[in-house]
Amino acid sequence: MTVLLFAAFVFLAGRGSPAQGAAKDGGSDRAAQSGDRVCVDYIGTFPDGTVFDTSVEQVAKDNGTYNPQRGYEPLCFTIGAHQVVPGFENAAIGMKVGETKDVSLPPEQAYGERKDELVVPVPIATFGGKPQLNEVYGFSDGRTGQMLPGRVDRIDEAAGQVYVDFNSEMAGKTLRFNITLRNIG
């Protein structure tokens, strides 16, 4: 569940396409800069070393996060297009093809701090049955029609309310990434 939510939030515009071929400039001498489309392999960990996501299949298998339905390919994004969290995007700037970098992202460079106002009361009747604590449900944003994941934080049966937390599971957390630049172009 964490990996799926991570992918949904970190990579707001999707995973992009897999890395193909070499860098446009034909080598690794050029450093990545704003506007470049880059492809990276990454390993995301919490400060205690627990892997929460990776583009590397063997790392996922070795750390118990492997999902056979997921494609393990480099993540491609355009630097400056805000397709990934700010700290991840900034880490790619200046990297050369083949270079590996370790970065630690505080919450403000990742998913931000947790916000109490994103824990919202929803009538129990909305669920059409008894909701389960910590279960993630999809809710439609009335303004945009976009589906938003919300986790059941607590249930107040007496008041007929379910409190749904729309914060990212990663909000308020420091995240570490090992990033290897595979492609520019």
Side-chain angles (χ1 to χ4, degrees):
M1 181 66 71
T2 299
V3 170
L4 294 176
L5 286 176
F6 177 75
F9 285 112
V10 169
F11 310 112
L12 299 174
R15 293 195 78 236
S17 59
Q20 295 181 3
K24 273 187 186 174
D25 64 6
S28 61
D29 291 341
R30 190 169 79 76
Q33 58 191 355
S34 186
D36 284 340
R37 181 159 175 80
V38 297
C39 297
V40 301
D41 273 320
Y42 66 93
I43 302 167
T45 62
F46 294 117
D48 69 0
T50 302
V51 173
F52 63 81
D53 194 19
T54 182
S55 64
V56 182
E57 184 173 351
Q58 191 59 52
V59 171
K61 287 179 177 178
D62 292 346
N63 288 279
T65 60
Y66 179 72
N67 177 349
Q69 296 175 343
R70 176 187 169 175
Y72 289 89
E73 303 168 336
L75 168 71
C76 299
F77 62 96
T78 300
I79 298 174
H82 310 294
Q83 296 169 328
V84 296
V85 297
F88 194 94
E89 182 174 67
N90 290 337
I93 295 172
M95 291 183 73
K96 295 180 180 181
V97 172
E99 182 180 349
T100 298
K101 179 188 282 189
D102 290 312
V103 295
S104 181
L105 306 183
E108 60 272 12
Q109 286 295 306
Y111 294 96
E113 296 294 344
R114 291 190 49 75
K115 297 178 182 174
D116 290 339
E117 63 269 20
L118 292 180
V119 179
V120 179
V122 176
I124 287 178
T126 303
F127 292 85
K130 184 171 171 115
Q132 300 298 310
L133 201 57
N134 293 316
E135 189 69 30
V136 176
Y137 294 86
F139 295 86
S140 178
D141 182 328
R143 297 170 298 169
T144 66
Q146 179 182 4
M147 289 301 290
L148 303 172
R151 182 186 56 78
V152 174
D153 184 61
R154 64 185 185 277
I155 302 169
D156 185 344
E157 292 188 39
Q161 298 289 323
V162 175
Y163 290 85
V164 179
D165 186 351
F166 288 98
N167 282 290
S168 164
E169 278 190 76
M170 300 294 184
K173 296 181 180 176
T174 295
L175 305 177
R176 294 188 176 164
F177 289 96
N178 173 273
I179 302 169
T180 301
L181 184 62
R182 298 291 181 204
N183 178 283
I184 301 174

